[in-house]
């Protein structure tokens, strides 16, 4: 994806916009990789830009300038990212504009949402199993899927606890 020309249609607060922007190539590479893995392209690019930003905060105008997309595309991407709790919306410090924020440990927060991510799928698979009959091959396959996801949810909880211990040790070494 081409890097946008910063002189083209610069917003009125161009100095503010350019001040906090990450390297566009870094954001594009991470975004493209997330898109290749199945994330929608614009949310992937917006999430990557926020991850690659020094303070993890960008306004819509900054995202438009960095990614060369429309404000509507930013809005749609942010709507998706906030629904899956990958970013949050705040008021810009000292201003009235929204700023989009990613947590330093965003992956942890996304991955441990096991109930909202896996819960509905487990319920749908169990209902499917019941509908086709638990003793059928399809029912057994659906039951195996239910058990796998329940296993993953339990493992995610233990993994999140290990991650918290790892982060605490990491902070102690740095601190």
């Amino acid at each position: 994806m081409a890097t946008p020309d910063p002189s083209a249609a610069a917003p009125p607060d161009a100095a503010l916009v350019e001040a906090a922007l990450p390297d566009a190539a870094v954001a594009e590479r991470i975004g493209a990789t997330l898109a290749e893995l199945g994330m929608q392209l614009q949310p992937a690019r917006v999430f990557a830009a926020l991850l690659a930003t020094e303070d993890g905060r960008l306004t819509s105008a900054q995202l438009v300038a960095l990614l060369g997309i429309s404000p509507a595309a930013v809005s749609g991407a942010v709507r998706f990212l906030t629904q899956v709790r990958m970013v949050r919306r705040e008021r810009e410090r000292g201003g009235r504009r929204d700023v989009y924020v990613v947590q330093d440990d965003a992956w942890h927060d996304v991955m441990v949402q096991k109930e909202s991510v896996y819960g509905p799928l487990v319920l749908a698979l169990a209902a499917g199993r019941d509908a086709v009959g638990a003793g059928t091959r399809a029912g057994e396959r659906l039951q195996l899927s239910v058990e796998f996801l329940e296993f993953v949810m339990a493992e995610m909880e233990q993994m999140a606890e290990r991650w918290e211990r790892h982060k605490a040790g990491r902070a102690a070494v740095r601190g």
Side-chain angles (χ1 to χ4, degrees):
M1 180 143 299
T3 303
D5 177 5
S7 65
D13 57 351
L16 171 65
V17 168
E18 292 176 11
L21 295 183
D23 183 318
V26 171
E28 291 295 353
R29 180 169 186 199
I30 295 168
T33 301
L34 290 169
E36 287 173 10
L37 293 171
M39 184 182 260
Q40 298 170 20
L41 180 60
Q42 297 309 339
R45 294 175 72 215
V46 168
F47 183 67
L50 287 164
L51 282 175
T53 302
E54 185 62 24
D55 65 356
R57 306 169 63 85
L58 292 170
T59 65
S60 179
Q62 290 169 316
L63 287 163
V64 166
L66 176 67
L67 301 174
I69 59 178
S70 71
V74 169
S75 179
V78 167
R79 187 178 324 106
F80 171 81
L81 292 168
T82 56
Q83 286 173 348
V84 296
R85 294 190 243 166
M86 294 179 84
V87 303
R88 70 179 187 278
R89 182 184 320 243
E90 295 179 354
R91 282 288 175 197
E92 189 175 42
R93 294 177 190 128
R96 296 181 350 165
R97 292 188 305 178
D98 285 336
V99 63
Y100 308 112
V101 182
V102 66
Q103 293 299 108
D104 289 341
D105 200 9
W107 290 110
H108 171 271
D109 295 344
V110 169
M111 297 301 289
V112 297
Q113 296 176 47
K114 59 188 183 309
E115 291 305 320
S116 63
V117 173
Y118 298 114
L121 183 53
V122 168
L123 291 174
L125 290 166
R129 174 206 56 220
D130 295 344
V132 301
T136 65
R137 288 193 63 214
E140 291 172 13
R141 194 169 32 255
L142 289 165
Q143 178 58 32
L144 188 59
S145 295
V146 167
E147 291 175 22
F148 174 75
L149 292 175
E150 288 171 339
F151 174 83
V152 167
M153 289 178 4
E155 289 295 310
M156 290 298 287
E157 188 169 321
Q158 294 172 18
M159 189 169 50
E161 292 169 7
R162 289 192 307 272
W163 174 247
E164 291 301 326
R165 288 192 301 272
H166 173 81
K167 274 193 346 185
R170 184 176 183 270
V173 169
R174 289 180 172 224

